[in-house]
Amino acid sequence: MAGSPDFDLYRTSEEHDMLRETVRALAEAKIAPYAAEVDEQARFPREALDALVAADLQAVHVPEAFGGAGADALATVIVIEEVARVCASSSLIPAVNKLGSLPVILSGSEDLKKKYLAPLAKGEAMFSYCLSEPDAGSDAAGMKTRAVRDGDYWVLNGVKRWITNAGESEYYTVMAVTDPEKRSKGISAFVVEKSDEGVSFGAPEKKLGIKGSPTREVYLDNVRIPADRMIGAEGTGFATAMKTLDHTRITIAAQALGIAQGALDYAKGYVQERKQFGKPIGDFQGVQFMLADMAMKLEAARQLTYAAAAKSERVDADLTFFGAAAKCYASDAAMEITLDAIQLLGGYGYTRDYPVERMMRDAKITQLYEGTNQIQRIVMARNLPK
Ligand SMILES: Cc1cc2nc3c(=O)[nH]c(=O)nc-3n(C[C@H](O)[C@H](O)[C@H](O)COP(=O)(O)OP(=O)(O)OC[C@H]3O[C@@H](n4cnc5c(N)ncnc54)[C@H](O)[C@@H]3O)c2cc1C
């Protein structure tokens, strides 16, 4: 089997391995030192943004034609994974830059791509993705935000909820109803700018985890934007939003892998240091078996995620199944692994003096956003492999 094209695609290349080394060194030196503080103070990880921008790692997925690094889906996964290993909140910078901008990359006009991707690639602007609303979460097509045509303009009104990096991002991909009769086929996508008149933000949500990543409502109050800010044709916004998620659920899987790896690495070190009954607790088979299970689940999740990333790169016919499966499996694994890491640290694991409780709180979100894991199972069931 070795050397067959499929097998190669599941493996990382030398370039991918070098990228991992680079990101790991940067994350440990410039992001990890602030991770606990960012969580404790629920503040935006500015140091992480600066470090990622200085190393051109804030949006590696942007194609070279628009000034980006043109990194493939697996390279993007590796960047997110390594940042999440030390700080899940910070990993939402590259992850949501991809989520917010992918509708433009997949369906936008050349002019839109030129205008909005170059500042993203240069680190001058971040991109957010506005699909969810107060009454439209899992049933995103039930959204109420309206866009009404007025000559050469569209006028947007509505409330988007749970928007990651809202207030920090310059650009927002906003899905809005342009024809209420047609439900999902009457939804269109637009680029809205933070500086557009009528755009404002709610107070940051007070969350269980990823506290350093701002999550806010976005209010659209008679926001008048030029018609050429529509992404793709009228009525294609929902399809673009779903196509985007096929690719970006893999980045949430990457985040889950990173969080789980961080917890496993910490627990592995701890069990060598902590002594009970006159020896390191890592000498007990009961502890070794837990670590073995954690590593096994993590590696299975990683293989599925990398396979999904290869499918994202090739836009394979079974990408929808694989994207949902990777996100669902890796996030469930991360939840189990981070809980086990707390268990291995005993009472100490339950305190904020150690990072594993933060990692457990951060892992929980990966089971919820970009579609809950029940929704992933619906998506998988509708797209079972042939
Ligand atoms: C921190 C955070 C960041 C987020 N960032 C973004 C963002 O940047 N952009 C964005 O657009 N959205 C974002 N979201 C929104 C997120 O995607 C939604 O919260 C998620 O899709 C679930 O929607 P909901 O919260 O309304 O839950 P609901 O849809 O109300 O679901 C509640 C429960 O019912 C279950 N359920 C619903 N329907 C079914 C069904 N048919 N079958 C079985 N079970 C079902 C769900 O699985 C869940 O357990 C974010 C959310 C959070 C918490």
Side-chain angles (χ1 to χ4, degrees):
M1 277 302 289
S4 81
D6 267 353
F7 185 79
D8 281 347
L9 281 165
Y10 290 63
R11 255 191 356 214
T12 53
S13 69
E14 213 173 296
E15 278 180 345
H16 288 121
D17 295 342
M18 276 166 52
L19 174 68
R20 184 189 299 283
E21 269 175 42
T22 305
V23 186
R24 182 166 294 198
L26 175 129
E28 285 187 345
K30 304 214 164 129
I31 300 176
Y34 303 98
E37 180 185 310
V38 154
D39 173 66
E40 196 74 32
Q41 297 176 0
R43 67 165 179 84
F44 183 70
R46 185 77 45 204
E47 300 86 355
L49 176 64
D50 291 347
L52 290 167
V53 168
D56 276 335
L57 291 168
Q58 79 287 355
V60 291
H61 67 284
V62 176
E64 284 175 3
F66 304 102
D72 62 31
L74 182 54
T76 309
V77 158
I78 288 169
V79 170
I80 294 164
E81 191 184 337
E82 288 301 325
V83 175
R85 183 175 159 271
V86 302
C87 178
S89 292
S90 301
S91 72
L92 279 157
I93 295 169
V96 173
N97 273 341
K98 179 162 180 178
L99 174 66
S101 64
L102 204 58
V104 174
I105 294 173
L106 291 174
S107 308
S109 65
E110 282 302 296
D111 284 349
L112 273 191
K113 288 181 191 173
K114 273 189 205 138
K115 180 164 180 200
Y116 291 109
L117 297 179
L120 177 66
K122 283 191 208 137
E124 295 166 356
M126 296 203 298
F127 237 112
S128 288
Y129 177 88
C130 306
L131 179 67
S132 307
E133 296 187 359
D135 296 322
S138 299
D139 180 15
M143 70 178 62
K144 296 194 188 103
T145 295
R146 276 288 266 137
V148 176
R149 183 94 194 209
D150 180 16
D152 288 340
Y153 294 85
W154 286 93
V155 180
L156 276 67
N157 277 287
V159 179
K160 290 294 174 180
R161 182 146 207 173
W162 308 119
I163 306 309
T164 300
N165 292 339
E168 296 292 336
S169 294
E170 286 302 318
Y171 306 142
Y172 298 80
T173 288
V174 174
M175 271 51 78
V177 177
T178 43
D179 185 345
E181 304 291 303
K182 294 189 180 156
R183 209 173 135 83
S184 68
K185 293 207 165 62
I187 290 171
S188 305
F190 301 88
V191 180
V192 170
E193 300 183 13
K194 181 181 172 178
S195 56
D196 287 331
E197 210 180 316
V199 174
S200 61
F201 305 99
E205 303 291 344
K206 296 180 182 136
K207 307 191 296 291
L208 174 72
I210 54 159
K211 292 188 180 195
S213 171
T215 314
R216 301 169 70 175
E217 284 189 327
V218 176
Y219 305 120
L220 304 159
D221 182 14
N222 281 321
V223 178
R224 199 176 163 79
I225 57 172
D228 62 10
R229 293 246 212 111
M230 184 182 271
I231 303 171
E234 192 175 336
T236 61
F238 194 74
T240 297
M242 294 301 113
K243 219 188 289 176
T244 296
L245 294 179
D246 282 347
H247 293 274
T248 58
R249 281 174 178 148
I250 299 161
T251 68
I252 303 304
Q255 195 181 34
L257 293 181
I259 297 168
Q261 186 70 61
L264 176 57
D265 289 349
Y266 197 86
K268 257 179 6 195
Y270 184 86
V271 302
Q272 300 308 323
E273 299 296 321
R274 175 70 175 169
K275 288 200 177 83
Q276 289 293 282
F277 304 97
K279 51 177 156 175
I281 57 170
D283 285 1
F284 299 118
Q285 197 178 49
V287 165
Q288 292 168 2
F289 279 9
M290 280 183 73
L291 287 165
D293 280 345
M294 290 157 81
M296 172 179 69
K297 285 175 196 164
L298 178 54
E299 201 47 48
R302 182 171 284 122
Q303 289 297 318
L304 181 55
T305 304
Y306 289 7
K311 285 173 185 294
S312 162
E313 196 54 34
R314 296 188 303 246
V315 200
D316 283 355
D318 52 5
L319 169 62
T320 301
F321 173 85
F322 271 80
K327 189 279 202 196
C328 189
Y329 192 87
S331 60
D332 285 351
M335 203 62 234
E336 291 170 22
I337 292 164
T338 53
L339 279 168
D340 280 349
I342 294 176
Q343 190 70 18
L344 286 173
L345 267 71
Y348 296 99
Y350 199 63
T351 70
R352 291 201 202 164
D353 296 334
Y354 292 84
V356 289
E357 65 84 35
R358 164 170 53 86
M359 292 165 173
M360 183 271 287
R361 288 185 285 106
D362 289 347
K364 182 63 206 170
I365 191 59
T366 63
Q367 294 181 308
L368 294 170
Y369 54 18
E370 297 211 19
T372 65
N373 281 3
Q374 289 101 315
I375 296 304
Q376 304 310 316
R377 288 178 167 95
I378 294 174
V379 171
M380 283 187 274
R382 285 181 186 155
N383 294 278
L384 289 173
K386 300 239 160 45

